[in-house]
Amino acid sequence: MTALTPNRAEAVAALADPQRRELYRLATERPIGRDDAAAALGMPRSTAAMNLDRLADAGLLTVSYARRSGRTGPGAGRPAKLYRAADAELAATIPERHYELAGALLAAAAEDADERGVPVREALDAAAFAAGAAIGAGCADLEEALTLCGYAPRAQESDAAEGDRDAASRDLVLDNCPFHALATRHTALICGANLELVKGLATATDDARTPVLARTAGRCCVEIHRRPG
């Protein structure tokens, strides 16, 4: 279980334009082609095509091809490019947050605690580690996994100054907490889950560094420390 919804600030930016919002609305009702869109909104075909492609590039529309006449074979003409609204939900936050993941973890923990008769906190830690392992399994390294989850990792200042230090041996601080509001109100519970999630990321990416709790104002409660020596 990952339940990680990509942060889509770029998609929200694409919808800031009124013409693109109208095109997106049309594509939620039915698949539309460039000619259909241009006629419906009274704009040049080239403008409709440009905006539809921008929405597709942002992941808001999916693209398919079909012959609108129904004819096949020689003389049937080229298939038309059709656009349909993507099924994925749109979520965007700045700084990046992933409360949908926190909700999924808490729900899974509550069910597990009932089934196994264990404390909710124990079940939450297990769910967080499993989610981290599932997310990390699809990433090339720990930094990629941390970035995907919204942690905004960076090297400790002492390590960043050593430009020749191998990236995989640097201590890391996490400038952003993807569960900030929850961590502020339920610090021990959410910080414990944060730690287990990052441990899962590290395990799945075969990273030898150790995630530890190191609460510091203005950033995530977890740091990544290299092993001594």
Side-chain angles (χ1 to χ4, degrees):
M1 178 201 63
T2 62
L4 187 64
T5 301
N7 196 57
R8 303 294 300 280
E10 77 284 356
V12 172
L15 288 172
D17 181 86
Q19 288 184 332
R20 286 195 286 269
R21 284 201 300 274
E22 282 300 302
L23 289 169
Y24 179 75
R25 181 187 61 78
L26 288 174
T28 63
E29 298 172 353
R30 65 184 190 283
I32 59 170
R34 294 171 170 179
D35 291 327
D36 299 333
L41 299 184
M43 64 175 63
R45 186 180 186 279
S46 59
T47 301
M50 178 186 67
N51 284 317
L52 287 166
D53 286 337
R54 170 71 187 277
L55 292 170
D57 290 343
L60 293 166
L61 302 181
T62 60
V63 176
S64 61
Y65 294 86
R67 289 189 170 91
R68 306 302 294 273
S69 66
R71 296 168 56 197
T72 60
R78 296 175 59 187
K81 190 173 186 180
L82 302 179
Y83 301 82
R84 181 193 292 270
D87 292 334
E89 293 184 357
L90 183 64
T93 51
I94 300 174
E96 188 167 345
R97 305 288 188 236
H98 284 292
Y99 296 119
E100 82 293 338
L101 175 57
L105 294 177
L106 289 165
E111 292 176 353
D112 187 35
D114 283 346
E115 290 174 3
R116 296 195 294 127
V118 299
V120 171
R121 184 170 295 182
E122 178 182 328
L124 177 59
D125 288 349
F129 183 91
I135 295 168
C139 297
D141 53 38
L142 179 57
E143 280 82 351
E144 179 183 326
L146 291 166
T147 300
L148 178 64
C149 291
Y151 284 107
R154 66 175 172 84
Q156 285 271 25
E157 291 182 6
S158 58
D159 283 349
E162 301 178 34
D164 59 345
R165 181 183 290 279
D166 181 74
S169 66
R170 295 175 178 175
D171 287 349
L172 298 176
V173 296
L174 309 180
D175 280 336
N176 184 57
C177 174
F179 315 122
H180 174 72
L182 289 172
T184 299
R185 294 195 293 268
H186 310 285
T187 303
L189 182 70
I190 300 303
C191 286
N194 245 328
L195 177 61
E196 292 303 315
L197 179 65
V198 176
K199 284 182 178 179
L201 297 175
T203 298
T205 54
D206 294 321
D207 197 287
R209 289 170 290 185
T210 304
V212 299
L213 282 179
R215 295 189 181 98
T216 303
R219 65 183 191 223
C220 180
C221 57
V222 178
E223 293 182 356
I224 317 294
H225 291 177
R226 64 184 182 276
R227 292 179 180 174

